[in-house]
Structure formats: C-alpha cells, structure tokens
Amino acid sequence: MDVTTDQGRLLRVSLSGNALFSGLSGLVLLLAPGSVASFLGLTVPWIVATIGAGLMLYAVWLAALARRPVIPRIEAWGVISLDVAWVLGSLILLIADPLSLTLTGKWTVAIVADFVTLFATLQFFGLHRYVCHLAQSPP
C-alpha cells in the first residue's frame, strides 16, 4: 500500500521538514566538526563529521521520498523507525554519558532529540491518517 500525493500531505510535509532539519544539521556538522566537537565536549571531530555525512545522506533520501508521487508505506515506516532509533540512542547517550558531554552538549542532544521526536510523531500521524482514509474509502 502506498501513500499518494493528496492523502499523504501531512506525511509529505513532515518528511520535507525532517529533510531540511537533517540537511542543515548535517551541513553544520560537516563544515565545522572541530568547533561542534568542542562545543559538545568531544575530543574526536571525525565522529561529528561522520554523523554530519550520514545526516546529509538521510536528508537526500527524505527529500526524494517526500517528492515522489507515491510514498511506499514500508519506506515511511523505515523513516519513522530510524527517527525513533535516533531518539532512543540520544536517551542512552544522555543517561549513560559514555562520552562525558558538557552540560551544553547534553542540552543540545536533548533538544535535537525533541525535534526528531516531533518529526517521528508527525510522520506517524501522517501515515496513520492516510491508512484511515483508505479504510473509509469505498472499494
């Protein structure tokens, strides 16, 4: 089952917003890995740059997915799952604190996780709205 353009508006808009947020975040991490690492309390800037590159790739996928005339449900669920994994990973990072982040670094991780939670929630409801629309449509 796929998400068509009209019925998938909330999903499409939330994917686009997620792509923008991920792309801008990735760009910052790629352009200034040393400064970002220092800000967060990390000693290895290459980790920041690697996350930035991954976010850029993720943003390209999200943007392409949002522009498709039909969004496959499996891909929408994949995006939601990856966002949930990011949030859970952030929570583990904050609780276990294996990297000894600065207080500012912890707040940054928490705020980013809040945005990702928002996108995952909007994407979930966008997908749910579409599925409910299909269930109510005559065959």
Side-chain angles (χ1 to χ4, degrees):
M1 192 176 322
D2 299 321
V3 178
T4 59
T5 304
D6 293 337
Q7 295 116 349
R9 181 162 171 72
L10 177 59
L11 178 58
R12 194 172 303 286
V13 169
S14 59
L15 286 170
S16 297
N18 195 346
L20 180 63
F21 181 73
S22 298
L24 290 174
S25 298
L27 191 61
V28 168
L29 298 179
L30 274 175
L31 292 178
S35 298
V36 173
S38 177
F39 177 79
L40 297 174
L42 300 174
T43 57
V44 283
W46 67 266
I47 291 175
V48 173
T50 302
I51 293 169
L55 284 172
M56 294 296 293
L57 292 173
Y58 186 58
V60 169
W61 177 48
L62 292 174
L65 189 58
R67 295 182 69 126
R68 289 176 64 178
V70 176
I71 300 173
R73 277 181 51 188
I74 189 74
E75 288 193 59
W77 276 117
V79 170
I80 294 166
S81 298
L82 288 172
D83 286 347
V84 168
W86 179 280
V87 173
L88 292 175
S90 297
L91 184 60
I92 291 168
L93 185 63
L94 291 171
I95 292 171
D97 196 23
L99 302 175
S100 301
L101 298 174
T102 62
L103 182 60
T104 307
K106 291 175 185 177
W107 274 103
T108 302
V109 169
I111 290 168
V112 169
D114 287 343
F115 277 102
V116 176
T117 299
L118 175 63
F119 288 121
T121 303
L122 290 172
Q123 290 157 175
F124 174 81
F125 283 116
L127 184 57
H128 177 72
R129 180 182 287 176
Y130 173 71
V131 171
C132 287
H133 174 76
L134 281 182
Q136 295 173 357
S137 298

